[in-house]
Amino acid sequence: MDPLSWRENKLFLLDQRLLPGRVELVECRDWRSVADCIKNMVVRGAPAIGASAAYGMALAAFELAEEKETEFMTRLQMAASGLTATRPTAVNLAWAVERMMNVAKTQAGLNPHEIASVLESEANRLAAEDVAVNRRIGDFGAALVADGATILTHCNAGALATVGYGTALGVVRSAVSQGKRVTVFADETRPYLQGSRLTAWELSRDNIPVTLIADNMAGFLMQQKKIDLVLVGADRIAANGDAANKIGTYSVAVLASYHGVPFYVAAPFSTFDLSLEGGDRIPIEERCGQEITHFQGIRVAPEGVGCYNPSFDVTPAGLITAIITEDGIIASPDKEKIESLFGGRRHGRHQD
Ligand code: MRU
């Protein structure tokens, strides 16, 4: 179920556009094909596109390795900008590219060939860290899941959306591995169907009980007391705890608040963007209207109808019961608590 793997200087991406029907890999030999794959949703999910872009940077460095040093750095920066521009909302993408660029900039004395190898190692490190971080998120989050719980999730914040294990679904996996019996309700997640195509596929393959529902059924299930908690991922979390995630997440959070159901966001530190005071500053990707007017290539709306397709929304911190990170749980998140957790990391009180 690996969404990405690096072998012999090539990045292989599981083509998530074809799931669950077909399991096929796309081979990327240069940074431009990685950028195309991110843009076209071959790979998706905030941490997964970040890690893919990191490998894209390594590929760019190998492609440019014959250049003189200044030209190498200038063109590496162009690749960095090209990769970052592919999708605007998930900050993990810019975070990963920036991390790679900073490593390249601090290799004084090395030639471009050597820098390319350093970047390859850095991408491998970033990818391995992602899985380790998700396991830590999972272990912290599992404490919030009671034996027998029914969990609602939206979109896919699983192994497919990360390098492995998942954030929200990592919490589910950790709870299951602790012997807890859980049932997951997966919102289908219109219009791109990450819930039905990816979450349902991923959980079924792991034999974790999953029931698919259409997005508009979540309120009814909560009213019927069939949901004990909501667990979602995030694409960008502002300094005050407002969290952007797949479109529809905000509606689920409002419903959860109304029905007194705890609403948890599971996300690594690479998803926080402390440069933004609040969620209203988070750029929201708008995607092609055809995702709504068509279903698997078949038109389901009249010709010429206007369409608006924002791909993410922002859940205000006030609707979030807690954010589950790799360093612990931030209950009722706000600016002070987030700052203090980050401050602790800067002063080495937390593991990296
Ligand atoms: O458009 P996508 O499929 O890339 O959107 C993905 C999501 O919104 C996920 O919930 C989010 O990236 C968290 S993934 C751990």
Side-chain angles (χ1 to χ4, degrees):
M1 212 191 297
D2 293 341
L4 55 125
S5 47
W6 177 255
R7 294 193 300 274
E8 294 163 1
N9 275 22
K10 283 175 261 176
L11 179 65
F12 293 88
L13 296 171
L14 176 60
D15 193 339
Q16 299 194 30
R17 298 168 305 181
L18 306 178
L19 293 173
R22 275 162 38 212
V23 178
E24 285 179 24
L25 299 183
V26 175
E27 182 181 307
C28 299
R29 293 163 178 261
D30 52 66
W31 76 263
R32 281 196 171 77
S33 45
V34 177
D36 285 345
C37 283
I38 296 173
K39 201 169 181 48
N40 299 323
M41 308 282 279
V42 170
V43 61
R44 34 64 54 197
I49 61 176
S52 301
Y55 283 113
M57 288 294 289
L59 284 172
F62 283 116
E63 285 168 70
L64 298 167
E66 296 302 325
E67 301 290 345
K68 297 255 179 303
E69 269 146 53
T70 4
E71 182 66 10
F72 171 80
M73 287 309 286
T74 309
R75 292 182 58 188
L76 192 64
Q77 182 58 62
M78 284 163 67
S81 307
L83 284 159
T84 307
T86 50
R87 294 196 71 193
T89 303
V91 76
N92 309 60
L93 177 61
W95 168 85
V97 170
E98 210 177 296
R99 169 167 161 176
M100 298 297 284
M101 204 60 217
N102 286 339
V103 168
K105 282 179 190 157
T106 48
Q107 301 307 316
L110 296 193
N111 65 41
H113 279 282
E114 291 164 332
I115 297 177
S117 299
V118 171
L119 290 189
E120 178 186 15
S121 308
E122 186 65 16
N124 285 332
R125 191 171 308 120
L126 187 149
E129 277 171 20
D130 183 65
V131 182
V133 155
N134 292 338
R135 287 186 180 276
R136 297 220 308 261
I137 291 174
D139 292 343
F140 278 116
L144 303 168
V145 180
D147 186 21
T150 51
I151 302 167
L152 177 71
T153 193
H154 190 75
C155 194
N156 172 266
L160 290 169
T162 59
V163 182
Y165 205 67
T167 55
L169 297 190
V171 173
V172 171
R173 287 198 164 88
S174 292
V176 168
S177 71
Q178 290 174 4
K180 292 175 181 166
R181 291 153 299 173
V182 302
T183 301
V184 177
F185 281 94
D187 279 347
E188 68 173 348
T189 318
R190 283 280 295 153
Y192 204 75
L193 305 180
Q194 286 93 334
S196 54
R197 295 191 306 103
L198 307 176
T199 296
W201 183 75
E202 171 173 340
L203 291 178
S204 315
R205 278 176 57 116
D206 270 5
N207 295 318
I208 296 175
V210 55
T211 304
L212 182 63
I213 57 167
D215 297 340
N216 51 4
M217 298 169 187
F220 178 67
L221 264 73
M222 288 186 198
Q223 196 179 43
Q224 304 272 308
K225 306 215 177 311
K226 290 202 168 117
I227 305 294
D228 295 314
L229 67 151
V230 178
L231 264 174
V232 295
D235 290 83
R236 192 185 296 229
I237 302 176
N240 68 349
D242 294 350
N245 191 48
K246 181 53 53 195
I247 190 76
T249 304
Y250 169 55
S251 320
V252 176
V254 172
L255 286 168
S257 165
Y258 182 80
H259 291 97
V261 173
F263 180 93
Y264 299 112
V265 173
F269 280 103
S270 52
T271 301
F272 285 76
D273 182 352
L274 300 190
S275 74
L276 303 183
E277 292 250 319
D280 53 342
R281 309 286 305 280
I282 297 176
I284 300 295
E285 177 180 8
E286 207 179 307
R287 295 183 59 83
C288 169
Q290 197 165 336
E291 286 181 0
I292 308 180
T293 54
H294 289 67
F295 188 78
Q296 297 196 320
I298 298 165
R299 178 171 273 285
V300 290
E303 289 279 357
V305 69
C307 241
Y308 176 46
N309 186 16
S311 193
F312 296 91
D313 58 27
V314 177
T315 299
L319 292 178
I320 300 173
T321 310
I323 302 178
I324 308 159
T325 75
E326 63 267 45
D327 277 356
I329 294 170
I330 313 171
S332 308
D334 62 20
K335 191 168 185 297
E336 285 66 41
K337 289 181 188 167
I338 291 170
E339 250 168 26
S340 128
L341 204 60
F342 270 85
R345 284 174 71 80
R346 275 193 291 273
H347 293 103
R349 274 193 272 121
H350 301 276
Q351 295 168 270
D352 266 325

